[in-house]
Amino acid sequence: MARQTLQSLLFIILQVLGRVACLKEVSDRQCDCYVTNDTSANYFTTHNFFDFRALTQYANVPRLIEDPYDSSDADETSEYFLNDNWTKVWGIQRWNNSDSVDSGDVPVLLVNSPNNIYIEKNTDENPTSETFMTMRTSRYEQYQSAAEFESISKSYHFLSVRMYARTIGAPGAVTAMFTYRNSGDPSQITSVQESDLEIRTMDPKDKVQYTNQPSYSTKGEGYDIPAATRNATTPIQADWTQWSVHRMDWTPKDTTWYIDGREVASIAFQVPRDPSQVIFNCWSDGGEWSGNMTTGSEAYLQIQWIDIVYNSTGNAKTTDDTTPSLSKVKRDGDGCQNICSIDDTPTTGTPVLVQGAASRISDHILGLGVAYIWIPLLLATFLI
Ligand SMILES: *[C@@H]1O[C@H](CO)[C@@H](O)[C@H](O)[C@H]1NC(C)=O
Ligand SMILES: *[C@@H]1O[C@H](CO)[C@@H](O)[C@H](O)[C@H]1NC(C)=O
Ligand SMILES: *[C@@H]1O[C@H](CO)[C@@H](O)[C@H](O)[C@H]1NC(C)=O
Ligand SMILES: *[C@@H]1O[C@H](CO)[C@@H](O)[C@H](O)[C@H]1NC(C)=O
Ligand SMILES: *[C@@H]1O[C@H](CO)[C@@H](O)[C@H](O)[C@H]1NC(C)=O
Ligand SMILES: *[C@@H]1O[C@H](CO)[C@@H](O)[C@H](O)[C@H]1NC(C)=O
């Protein structure tokens, strides 16, 4: 019994040593799939990485646009957002909520504007990047100028998405990263499937809201569905004004959220079933959920990078034509010989090979020499 336990422990140590010492950085072309380091590992076929950390050539904080029509007609703020690498994957939004305002559902006109999505120089005291992407929302007397980009593809079917981000600014805004599907009448909340990470700038800085929508029912006034949502507490050093890795894993079983590698919430109830979009936004409509921002105030979602591994509907390996060239079409068949990881890598965004023809742990162990691993292992085994 004790011997068995010790042996399994040694086996784990051996594996860890093997991995730490030997993982090789590779390009996505060399990966057949990606395994995530969740407690229950998940496999995904495709990887995408968006890095906003060294884009000084695009850095430019655009002036606010006061007129709501000009705001929605505004140009993209730099060439970065016109490049194929961006436009093949993301669509910057210009829609507004005038319908909901007209029907009296929400008090404030929200207008999404490309002018509110830009690359900004990092002027932090000890900056961890040269630049980042900012999504801005700002309040005028007659309306709220807001920011949203949505994935062009609506075929994401399970994923692990991470952003290195922070939320700062005035109360009365929501910043969010979520999956979204609405199959049917958009006014029917029951046709929505959605896994959300939402930060309300009016909330305490250590509270983040995670939800598998819908979180309320229209049957009966204000009928909440507590099983659908969590008001979670951030790890102590990672309140939402601090740069942290916010991660959301949507799987067939549940959606689980992490901050800086620590699980903060997991919801199996009402987990989205069908292919969805991925959306980021920063907004307010003066309503109960977002709060009402004071005129002249602003809030921001700032992102240094977005790293995502995912599956798509159909045969993801051959039919997802919306993925950019950097995510190469994978080999046919269900074999996943070369398994990569975006977690265990020393270089964010660059995968490492964790298992495959070019990276067998045994090869590494032999390559490393006996001393590090085999001797302690053998010694311990004999001593028990
Ligand atoms: C993603 O697709 C691969 C290949 O079809 C499959 O093995 C894997 O289980 C899928 N992942 C999830 C989370 O469904
Ligand atoms: C809001 O959207 C409607 C419908 O697309 C459009 O007619 C209207 O001009 C937009 N308003 C603003 C301020 O952009
Ligand atoms: C687009 O992505 C490719 C592949 O990562 C990169 O080599 C190229 O520099 C990018 N182009 C721009 C304009 O960022
Ligand atoms: C989460 O809980 C805190 C109190 O701990 C509260 O102030 C905050 O409003 C709650 N957030 C939501 C979205 O209910
Ligand atoms: C929201 O804010 C605006 C401007 O700051 C103010 O005129 C309005 O009364 C507020 N509405 C609510 C519901 O508090
Ligand atoms: C998973 O990888 C992340 C980095 O992506 C790390 O922060 C986290 O601690 C790892 N979690 C486990 C359980 O190994």
Side-chain angles (χ1 to χ4, degrees):
M1 188 72 175
R3 183 187 170 119
Q4 261 180 358
T5 314
L6 202 52
Q7 277 177 339
S8 7
L9 191 71
L10 284 165
F11 183 68
I12 290 166
I13 292 171
L14 169 76
Q15 281 196 318
V16 169
L17 281 177
R19 301 181 91 186
V20 170
C22 311
L23 293 179
K24 193 168 112 201
E25 289 186 30
V26 293
S27 80
D28 285 306
R29 257 178 290 113
Q30 294 165 266
C31 304
D32 297 318
C33 67
Y34 302 84
V35 63
T36 50
N37 72 348
D38 195 347
T39 36
S40 63
N42 287 287
Y43 291 83
F44 300 97
T45 57
T46 316
H47 174 222
N48 256 326
F49 181 59
F50 294 88
D51 195 351
F52 311 110
R53 292 174 296 179
L55 299 174
T56 40
Q57 71 272 38
Y58 302 113
N60 156 42
V61 178
R63 289 210 319 273
L64 294 167
I65 299 176
E66 186 152 3
D67 180 80
Y69 295 93
D70 292 348
S71 207
S72 97
D73 288 344
D75 291 333
E76 281 76 3
T77 57
S78 78
E79 289 292 319
Y80 180 84
F81 300 105
L82 296 167
N83 185 269
D84 278 0
N85 286 352
W86 174 267
T87 58
K88 276 187 180 164
V89 181
W90 305 112
I92 290 181
Q93 301 299 302
R94 300 169 183 274
W95 58 262
N96 67 67
N97 69 349
S98 57
D99 288 352
S100 312
V101 175
D102 293 346
S103 63
D105 289 342
V106 296
V108 175
L109 174 66
L110 172 165
V111 177
N112 283 302
S113 171
N115 191 55
N116 292 325
I117 299 178
Y118 50 87
I119 304 298
E120 179 169 355
K121 189 164 185 293
N122 188 340
T123 57
D124 292 356
E125 199 168 323
N126 294 305
T128 50
S129 68
E130 289 169 43
T131 53
F132 46 75
M133 175 178 61
T134 295
M135 302 180 74
R136 170 175 69 189
T137 185
S138 63
R139 179 60 194 267
Y140 295 97
E141 204 154 314
Q142 312 88 9
Y143 85 107
Q144 183 89 28
S145 192
E148 175 165 311
F149 61 86
E150 304 182 349
S151 66
I152 306 288
S153 167
K154 300 186 174 184
S155 324
Y156 289 84
H157 205 194
F158 309 117
L159 53 74
S160 177
V161 58
R162 303 92 185 275
M163 63 170 173
Y164 188 56
R166 69 179 173 196
T167 292
I168 53 176
V174 175
T175 66
M177 171 176 88
F178 57 107
T179 68
Y180 182 77
R181 177 190 177 89
N182 195 331
S183 52
D185 180 353
S187 68
Q188 293 297 309
I189 55 164
T190 48
S191 62
V192 167
Q193 296 180 38
E194 186 173 335
S195 281
D196 288 347
L197 173 172
E198 286 176 291
I199 290 163
R200 303 198 306 175
T201 56
M202 70 166 140
D203 272 350
K205 303 207 178 329
D206 64 345
K207 295 293 174 188
V208 180
Q209 196 71 24
Y210 301 106
T211 310
N212 285 343
Q213 299 283 3
S215 62
Y216 62 95
S217 163
T218 44
K219 293 185 198 117
E221 189 71 17
Y223 169 55
D224 290 333
I225 308 172
T229 193
R230 300 279 185 281
N231 181 344
T233 304
T234 66
I236 203 145
Q237 83 295 351
D239 75 62
W240 43 255
T241 65
Q242 304 299 314
W243 290 112
S244 342
V245 179
H246 291 273
R247 166 173 165 188
M248 176 169 77
D249 284 16
W250 167 39
T251 76
K253 193 164 56 70
D254 55 33
T255 301
T256 304
W257 293 264
Y258 305 80
I259 298 178
D260 287 344
R262 266 182 269 181
E263 181 177 328
V264 284
S266 186
I267 305 177
F269 178 74
Q270 218 164 243
V271 66
R273 299 172 307 279
D274 298 312
S276 301
Q277 277 178 291
V278 178
I279 303 179
F280 293 76
N281 64 18
C282 177
W283 62 277
S284 174
D285 60 12
E288 222 177 281
W289 180 249
S290 68
N292 188 22
M293 193 176 266
T294 309
T295 302
S297 297
E298 297 178 13
Y300 317 90
L301 171 59
Q302 296 179 327
I303 305 178
Q304 289 195 21
W305 49 256
I306 295 170
D307 208 3
I308 176 169
V309 285
Y310 62 95
N311 283 354
S312 315
T313 34
N315 182 351
K317 293 177 178 175
T318 54
T319 60
D320 187 0
D321 57 1
T322 63
T323 51
S325 56
L326 58 155
S327 323
K328 283 288 178 283
V329 168
K330 301 298 185 266
R331 182 192 320 136
D332 280 332
D334 56 12
C336 177
Q337 298 216 347
N338 294 311
I339 304 175
C340 292
S341 165
I342 61 166
D343 293 309
D344 294 335
T345 178
T347 311
T348 302
T350 303
V352 285
L353 203 54
V354 293
Q355 187 186 310
S359 167
R360 291 197 200 292
I361 281 180
S362 56
D363 295 348
H364 289 308
I365 290 162
L366 291 176
L368 245 191
V370 187
Y372 291 120
I373 293 155
W374 285 115
I375 286 181
L377 180 74
L378 289 174
L379 270 180
T381 310
F382 283 121
L383 285 175
I384 299 161

